Amino acid sequence: MHITLINDTENECHWGCYGTSSAIKQELYAGGVKSIYSFTCHDGSKLENSPRKCLLVYSKNPVIKMLSRWYFVHLFKKQLPDLCKNIEKSDYVVINGEGTINSIHVATRFIFFVVFLAKHVYRKKVCIINHSCYPKESKEKQISYYKSAYSMCDFIAAREQRSQQILNHKLNATAALSFDSLPIVVKALPRIPESFYDDKYICVSGAVNYNTDNSSYLAEEILKRYGDYKIIYLVGSASGMNADEPVVIQSLKQYLPEMIVHDAKSLEEWLSVIKHAELLISGRYHYSIAAMCFGTPMICFSSNTPKTDEINKMFGLPNCVSNKDQLSSALDSIQSFKWTPLLEEMYALAKENYKFLDTNGE
C-alpha cells in the first residue's frame, strides 16, 4: 500500500507538531504501508491563486462547478505536478488535519480541494485524521463546503468530542473519536532525558493567538507565587525557532529580565523541559498534551479554536483561562488538583486514527 500524506508537519511549527507527524508515519508503516509521499500545507499555500477560489469545485451551480473543476485540476497538474503524480501512484490520501480545518482559510481550502482531486479525479480512498473541525456554523455556504468535502471521505477521525459532534450532527459525516497522535511517539521513546536544570522552574510558552498586552499580568502573577523559581520560556522545532517567538519573548523580558529562553534541539529535549517543570503555563496545544502525558501541572490559555478547552473537558482537567482574574484563580488552586499522567488513555484514543488500516483489502 502506498500513501500520500497531506500536511506533514515534521519541519513546521514546534517539536509537538514534529512528534505528531512522526507518530502518523510510524503508525502507517506499522500498519503495512510500503511508502509514504509527504506534502505540506505550506507548499500548497504557495500555489498561484493559492487557491483562493478552489472551493468553487463544490458549487451548487453546475456550470461554475464544471468550469472550476477543469480550471483547478489543470492548475494543480501544472504547478504541483509532483503532488498529482504521487496521488496517482497512491492507494490512499491521508490528510493530517491538525491545526488546519477551521473557518475557510488557505490551508482549509487547499485540503478540501485535495479531497476532491483525490476522490473524483484519481479515484483514491481519502482519510482525514488527527484533527479538530470548527467551521463557522452560522455561515451556510461554509457549512455546505464542509459537508461536500467530508462526504467524499472514506474515513474520518476527530481528536475531541465537540469536533466529532459537529462532524456527525452538523455536517452529516461519520467520524470516529480519536485524539492527537503525539502520545504515540512519546510512548515509543526509550527514555526522556533528566532535567536540564538543577533548580525548580516554571515553563512558559507563547500561543498561536498570543496577545503581548497580557505579558505584564502574566509576569506579575508568576512572580507573586514563584519568585524564587527559574522561569524557562520553551521554544524549538526541527527548523529552528519560529518567527513569531521573538516578539513574545521581548514582551515578557520587560517584566521577567532573568527569564531563560530554552531553544530545544530535539523532541526528547523539548519533552524533558515540560516533564520536569513544576508548572507549565502555555497557550500551545501540543505543549499542553505533552504536560498531560507526564502529569505535569499546567494552566492553558484558550487557543484560536476551542480545541484545548475540549481536551481539558475530555479528561476532567481545569478549564482554560483567558484573562488575569482567571489566571490568578487557576494559580491559587493549582496544587489542590490531583495531576496524574494521562499517557495511556491518550495513547489508546490516538490509535483510533488508524482504524482504516484494519479494513484495508476488504
Side-chain angles (χ1 to χ4, degrees), residues 40-321:
T40 70
C41 282
H42 178 72
D43 289 336
S45 69
K46 293 187 291 187
L47 183 72
E48 181 185 321
N49 208 12
S50 81
R52 185 69 196 173
K53 297 180 180 179
C54 71
L55 290 186
L56 291 176
V57 299
Y58 295 124
S59 173
K60 293 179 180 179
N61 183 311
V63 176
I64 293 175
K65 180 189 292 186
M66 180 184 67
L67 292 174
S68 297
R69 289 183 173 190
W70 176 87
Y71 173 75
F72 282 109
V73 169
H74 174 76
L75 183 67
F76 266 63
K77 287 182 175 179
K78 179 182 177 182
Q79 297 196 8
L80 297 175
D82 290 341
L83 172 62
C84 294
K85 288 175 183 175
N86 288 339
I87 291 175
E88 190 171 15
K89 290 187 291 185
S90 296
D91 301 289
Y92 276 86
V93 172
V94 176
I95 296 166
N96 168 27
E98 67 160 299
T100 55
I101 305 181
N102 59 81
S103 190
I104 293 289
H105 54 68
V106 171
T108 305
R109 294 195 297 269
F110 171 70
I111 281 175
F112 284 178
F113 183 80
V114 167
V115 171
F116 157 76
L117 187 72
K119 178 58 67 174
H120 280 281
V121 177
Y122 295 107
R123 308 296 179 185
K124 305 300 179 180
K125 292 184 178 180
V126 180
C127 305
I128 302 181
I129 65 170
N130 195 76
H131 85 299
S132 298
C133 174
Y134 290 113
K136 291 184 178 176
E137 296 181 50
S138 61
K139 295 197 173 183
E140 183 179 345
K141 182 176 285 189
Q142 194 169 124
I143 292 295
S144 177
Y145 288 148
Y146 270 67
K147 283 182 176 179
S148 297
Y150 279 106
S151 70
M152 297 182 188
C153 295
D154 298 277
F155 179 81
I156 304 164
R159 61 186 182 179
E160 26 77 16
Q161 290 164 329
R162 182 168 174 180
S163 288
Q164 185 193 31
Q165 290 167 359
I166 290 171
L167 283 157
N168 290 348
H169 302 300
K170 299 287 186 181
L171 303 179
N172 302 330
T174 300
L177 179 63
S178 64
F179 193 65
D180 189 88
S181 291
L182 180 61
I184 292 176
V185 80
V186 174
K187 186 175 172 66
L189 292 172
R191 63 180 292 273
I192 304 297
E194 294 300 318
S195 179
F196 286 82
Y197 300 94
D198 294 330
D199 301 323
K200 292 182 178 181
Y201 62 91
I202 306 301
C203 182
V204 181
S205 87
V208 66
N209 58 341
Y210 189 86
N211 183 347
T212 54
D213 292 341
N214 297 344
S215 293
S216 59
Y217 78 71
L218 177 59
E220 179 186 340
E221 294 297 327
I222 290 173
L223 291 174
K224 189 187 301 182
R225 296 165 177 83
Y226 299 98
D228 295 334
Y229 287 52
K230 289 185 182 298
I231 311 298
I232 309 298
Y233 187 92
L234 180 61
V235 297
S237 75
S239 55
M241 187 189 300
N242 280 21
D244 60 338
E245 298 286 16
V247 173
V248 180
I249 292 168
Q250 183 180 12
S251 72
L252 283 168
K253 278 277 193 179
Q254 298 176 72
Y255 311 102
L256 299 168
E258 296 183 8
M259 182 179 77
I260 298 167
V261 177
H262 188 119
D263 188 359
K265 302 304 181 185
S266 68
L267 172 64
E268 291 85 351
E269 183 177 338
W270 178 81
L271 288 168
S272 173
V273 175
I274 293 173
K275 178 180 181 179
H276 298 294
E278 295 297 309
L279 169 67
L280 171 73
I281 302 177
S282 172
R284 295 199 183 278
Y285 181 79
H286 282 125
Y287 283 60
S288 299
I289 291 175
M292 291 164 66
C293 286
F294 307 121
T296 301
M298 66 177 190
I299 293 174
C300 307
F301 276 87
S302 294
S303 188
N304 59 327
T305 69
K307 60 190 178 185
T308 309
D309 305 75
E310 290 301 315
I311 63 167
N312 283 12
K313 188 185 299 182
M314 276 178 67
F315 293 100
L317 300 178
N319 293 335
C320 291
V321 303

